[in-house]
Amino acid sequence: VSDTRVGVLALQGAFEAHSRILDQLGAGVREVRTPAELHEVDGLVIPGGESTTMTLGVEREGLAAPLRSFRDAGKPIFGTCAGLIMLDREHLGLMDVVAERNAFGRQIHSFEQDLDVAGLAEAVRAIFIRAPRVAEVGEEVQVLARVDGDPVAVQEGEMLAISFHPELTGELRLHQQFLERVRAQAVLVG
Ligand code: GLN
């Protein structure tokens, strides 16, 4: 489907880097700040940034209920870092996980490592920046990668959330997989 439209939540944070990657992969990208703009897209990236600020933006724009309907319609969402926090039970409640902010022990600022992610043949160079740890996962949640035993990539239905930043390393495969899901769902959902 050539006219698949993908949104990047652009309230705050690293949204431009995600837009560039999606554009590079041939998707029609829209910045999403309002319920009306969300309505125009078939999938959504929630970028890294600052989850407290992003939560204020979601409240200001009245996006929580529209995002729930978006999820209920089977439209894929891909959250990275603060985006993972936004998806958890204590924020938007779109995934059955609980994220713990700034959680990697003494390495609260930044670290990077090669990470095996289920479904990808070669490791991902993963950069963690004040990254969340997934502290609890529900029964329907699939863990795709772990660091020191803690989940850092989780999938539940059409929702994918990761603790790290693929947009900083030239990593394209996760966005590519997300786009494939968006295209597949757009055909089903119409
Ligand atoms: N520490 C940030 C938060 O709690 C997330 C960091 C990031 O997105 N790089 O929102």
Side-chain angles (χ1 to χ4, degrees):
V1 185
S2 58
D3 62 351
T4 307
R5 303 150 308 172
V6 180
V8 179
L9 190 66
L11 297 170
Q12 187 269 335
F15 56 88
E16 284 173 343
H18 288 280
S19 296
R20 275 195 294 276
I21 291 177
L22 292 166
D23 186 59
Q24 200 178 330
L25 291 171
V29 189
R30 311 262 181 101
E31 290 184 356
V32 169
R33 295 185 180 81
T34 64
E37 287 165 348
L38 182 64
H39 200 68
E40 297 298 310
V41 298
D42 302 310
L44 185 72
V45 172
I46 305 184
E50 222 294 310
S51 53
T52 308
T53 311
M54 230 180 272
T55 297
L56 291 174
V58 164
E59 283 170 8
R60 187 185 64 232
E61 300 296 339
L63 274 164
L67 282 165
R68 182 173 297 273
S69 308
F70 192 86
R71 190 268 319 261
D72 291 345
K75 297 183 181 179
I77 302 181
F78 177 21
T80 66
C81 204
L84 181 157
I85 298 167
M86 295 302 292
L87 288 168
D88 91 347
R89 272 187 220 146
E90 285 159 15
H91 293 80
L92 292 166
L94 299 183
M95 288 186 78
D96 192 12
V97 299
V98 176
E100 186 186 333
R101 297 178 63 195
N102 307 327
F104 279 96
R106 284 183 223 104
Q107 296 167 309
I108 56 167
H109 294 300
S110 181
F111 65 102
E112 58 178 282
Q113 69 175 65
D114 290 329
L115 187 69
D116 287 322
V117 178
L120 297 180
E122 281 158 44
V124 172
R125 189 69 191 161
I127 300 188
F128 294 82
I129 303 168
R130 295 176 59 75
R133 182 175 82 88
V134 178
E136 286 176 42
V137 295
E139 272 173 27
E140 304 299 316
V141 178
Q142 225 185 317
V143 175
L144 304 181
R146 295 179 189 266
V147 169
D148 298 337
D150 291 320
V152 293
V154 285
Q155 176 93 44
E156 181 181 2
E158 297 300 325
M159 312 286 108
L160 169 66
I162 62 177
S163 297
F164 50 93
H165 289 270
E167 78 282 8
L168 297 177
T169 52
E171 172 61 59
L172 299 177
R173 291 171 292 170
L174 291 158
H175 287 82
Q176 181 66 52
Q177 284 192 343
F178 165 70
L179 273 183
E180 283 161 16
R181 279 184 176 273
V182 175
R183 291 186 174 122
Q185 286 299 106
V187 171
L188 286 177
V189 174

